[in-house]
Amino acid sequence: HRWLLPGRNGIDRKSQQNVIFGGKMTQCEQLLEAMKRGEQLTVAEAMARYGVYALSQRCGELIRQGHPINVETIKVQSGKRVARYSMAL
């Protein structure tokens, strides 16, 4: 049985994956499509574009599903180092 948190897509607490409501794509599906288009995403970009707050976890799910996700550390304008995720095309 599933425990769902309120929100746009809800979360399946058993599998820790987003559940589709109303035919919308899951966060993993959105990220996968974006990366297939060549997008490279940091946490801030994923949050702003797709509402994904846990980018590293979603990318971990994609990696476990067998998708070739790359992660690199980059230095942003503020001088901080952040992870940037992309797909090996």
Side-chain angles (χ1 to χ4, degrees):
H1 114 255
R2 295 181 176 178
W3 296 92
L4 299 177
L5 297 178
R8 234 179 37 201
N9 286 330
I11 297 176
D12 177 337
R13 301 295 279 171
K14 188 172 184 177
S15 68
Q16 294 297 307
Q17 293 181 356
N18 290 322
V19 177
I20 301 172
F21 288 121
K24 295 181 182 177
M25 289 196 307
T26 65
Q27 288 183 348
C28 284
E29 289 169 337
Q30 289 178 328
L31 293 171
L32 185 59
E33 289 303 312
M35 289 184 198
K36 283 181 179 179
R37 290 191 303 267
E39 289 188 44
Q40 299 177 339
L41 298 168
T42 64
V43 170
E45 292 165 339
M47 198 179 318
R49 293 180 196 169
Y50 304 105
V52 175
Y53 290 91
L55 181 61
S56 63
Q57 288 84 351
R58 299 296 81 79
C59 287
E61 291 174 22
L62 292 172
I63 290 167
R64 286 189 293 280
Q65 292 171 12
H67 299 285
I69 305 297
N70 295 329
V71 60
E72 62 179 318
T73 302
I74 63 166
K75 196 173 191 177
V76 293
Q77 229 174 0
S78 67
K80 293 181 181 180
R81 296 184 184 277
V82 298
R84 180 169 61 188
Y85 297 87
S86 62
M87 178 175 272
L89 300 175

